[in-house]
Amino acid sequence: METIIIIVFIVGYLAITMEHNLKIDKLIPALAMMAILWAIIALTHMDVFEVNTALKELEPTHIDEILLHHLGKTAEILVFLLGAMTIVEIIDYFDGFATIKGYIKTRSKRKLLWLFSILAFVLSAIIDNLTATIVLVTILQKVIRDREVRLWFAGLIIIAANAGGAWSPIGDVTTTMLWIGNKVTAPLLVEHVLIPSIVCMVVPVLLASRFKAFSGNISDELDSEEDSKSKFGSIMLYLGLGAIVFVPFFKTITHLPPYVGMMLSLAVVATFAEIYSSSKFSLSAVDGDDHDTVGHHSPVHASLSKIELPSILFFLGILLAVAALESLGMLFHFAESLESNLPMLGTESEGELVSDLVVLILGVGSAVIDNVPLVAASMGMFSVPIDDPVWHFIAYSAGTGGSMLIIGSAAGVVAMGMEKIDFFWYLKKIAWLAFVGFMSGAVVFGLLRNLVLDA
């Protein structure tokens, strides 16, 4: 039966990776694969196990118990993401991101490149790389009229946004998974991954800044015709970003799961949103917008209606599908075979033994295959302790490796849609920059890790 399980998983996985060719949303094969895998386990009465990470062994359990266990772990991630998405939509409801456009004063293409790259790096660490890309490409369209130049900017924004999301526990769904799954802690994740991520962003931008596309100035194109639609836009921007940043501190102080802090942050932001929306000045210029839903002006209801629910359902399906393989002990045995067959790479600990080669392959693979199931699988494979270097390297590789192909990350896919970027144009012009940045950051990560161990 294990062969059938593997076949179902591979077929479902292929359907997910080929969603653009098949013209179906990836949530459909993800949910179908999850349900079929658990149905096979239940109908054939296959033995299920829970991984004891302390003893590094499998412990028999009942299907109801293990399914409830995995559902609980998955729900923690999904509720956290729902809260973060809602806060971002509330900020957008008040047109808070228009505040960022006010900081753009320069007309030098080279300076604009660095400005947009730094903004993408910082914003993605707070509001996630997907949302940061949407915000910055939208601003980019108002600042630069030349589409060819804008494509170059968009390509570098993708690299910077993915690099920025890798070092923050709230910057990318994969780092959020590792954080909520107690594989990494926020302070040590930032400490070990921040500098490699900066290198991953700086090296491509430094190389690209020498290109002809970024020489000279843009013409008088800075568009100032659109101001914030609400006078509370800047307040909601700072309040919303501050509320999201507050979550890791809440977890550190209370030791409660991150979604609890996110729900508190959402409650605070939503309270101010309701207060401001009731003001007669707050929505003075929303003519034709869809903020008025079902006869009321609730910003919370309007924001909830815009959440990417298909993404939430996709995460539910893929995480529980990987959990099925983990419950059968497949990932555990695969990890054991890796450790026994891989040659020593000049390191001593178990985490370093597998990280140098396997995690680099995972990073490159995340450009072709969705990084969520890759990270979910790695969490079930490796039984190394919390904050082991292998987890930090997985966070870096899975977060930044997707930049090598435009379809390799959520940021790339959304930029592709917004700017109609051609797959092969990106492959020719941007992919090598992303690869150089990825490898540069990986080398720096290894050097820093060895310095820490030597100390």
Side-chain angles (χ1 to χ4, degrees), residues 247-313:
V247 175
F249 295 99
F250 181 87
K251 180 183 186 295
T252 302
I253 295 168
T254 64
H255 301 290
L256 289 170
Y259 71 87
V260 180
M262 186 58 78
M263 291 299 102
L264 175 61
S265 293
L266 175 58
V268 172
V269 173
T271 300
F272 279 91
E274 293 288 355
I275 292 171
Y276 290 153
S277 70
S278 64
S279 167
K280 63 181 179 180
F281 302 108
S282 63
L283 296 174
S284 57
V286 291
D287 300 325
D289 278 8
D290 59 351
H291 294 325
D292 297 34
T293 55
V294 201
H296 57 69
H297 298 275
S298 170
V300 178
H301 289 194
S303 301
L304 284 169
S305 69
K306 292 183 178 180
I307 284 179
E308 276 287 321
L309 199 56
S311 296
I312 297 294
L313 290 174

Side-chain angles (χ1 to χ4, degrees), residues 300-375:
V300 178
H301 289 194
S303 301
L304 284 169
S305 69
K306 292 183 178 180
I307 284 179
E308 276 287 321
L309 199 56
S311 296
I312 297 294
L313 290 174
F314 166 70
F315 295 143
L316 173 67
I318 198 67
L319 293 176
L320 285 181
V322 173
L325 301 186
E326 181 183 341
S327 300
L328 293 172
M330 290 181 178
L331 300 182
F332 182 82
H333 293 312
F334 179 68
E336 280 189 332
S337 66
L338 270 180
E339 291 170 27
S340 60
N341 294 325
L342 275 177
M344 284 297 292
L345 300 175
T347 55
E348 296 178 359
S349 73
E350 179 188 2
E352 291 169 57
L353 172 66
V354 296
S355 70
D356 289 12
L357 179 60
V358 176
V359 180
L360 274 177
I361 294 172
L362 181 147
V364 175
S366 69
V368 182
I369 302 169
D370 196 283
N371 58 4
V372 171
L374 285 177
V375 172

Side-chain angles (χ1 to χ4, degrees), residues 169-222:
I170 52 180
D172 184 272
V173 67
T174 52
T175 50
T176 301
M177 287 164 56
L178 291 168
W179 181 47
I180 293 178
N182 289 319
K183 303 301 182 184
V184 298
T185 57
L188 286 177
L189 176 68
V190 174
E191 178 185 336
H192 292 286
V193 185
L194 174 57
I195 294 176
S197 296
I198 291 175
V199 172
C200 180
M201 182 270 289
V202 167
V203 171
V205 174
L206 195 60
L207 291 172
S209 65
R210 305 296 176 187
F211 295 172
K212 185 178 179 181
F214 297 106
S215 62
N217 299 333
I218 58 173
S219 52
D220 290 340
E221 297 168 343
L222 292 181

Side-chain angles (χ1 to χ4, degrees), residues 9-72:
F9 186 81
I10 291 174
V11 171
Y13 211 113
L14 287 173
I16 290 170
T17 59
M18 298 174 65
E19 65 167 330
H20 298 294
N21 305 85
L22 298 175
K23 301 291 191 297
I24 60 169
D25 195 293
K26 60 185 177 182
L27 78 89
I28 297 172
L31 291 175
M33 173 173 62
M34 177 270 290
I36 292 170
L37 288 176
W38 282 104
I40 292 172
I41 294 172
L43 293 173
T44 58
H45 304 289
M46 298 178 75
D47 293 330
V48 289
F49 306 91
E50 186 171 356
V51 179
N52 187 322
T53 53
L55 300 176
K56 296 182 181 177
E57 63 181 22
L58 297 174
E59 297 178 348
T61 185
H62 193 271
I63 187 171
D64 291 338
E65 295 176 0
I66 195 68
L67 187 53
L68 187 62
H69 167 77
H70 287 301
L71 178 61

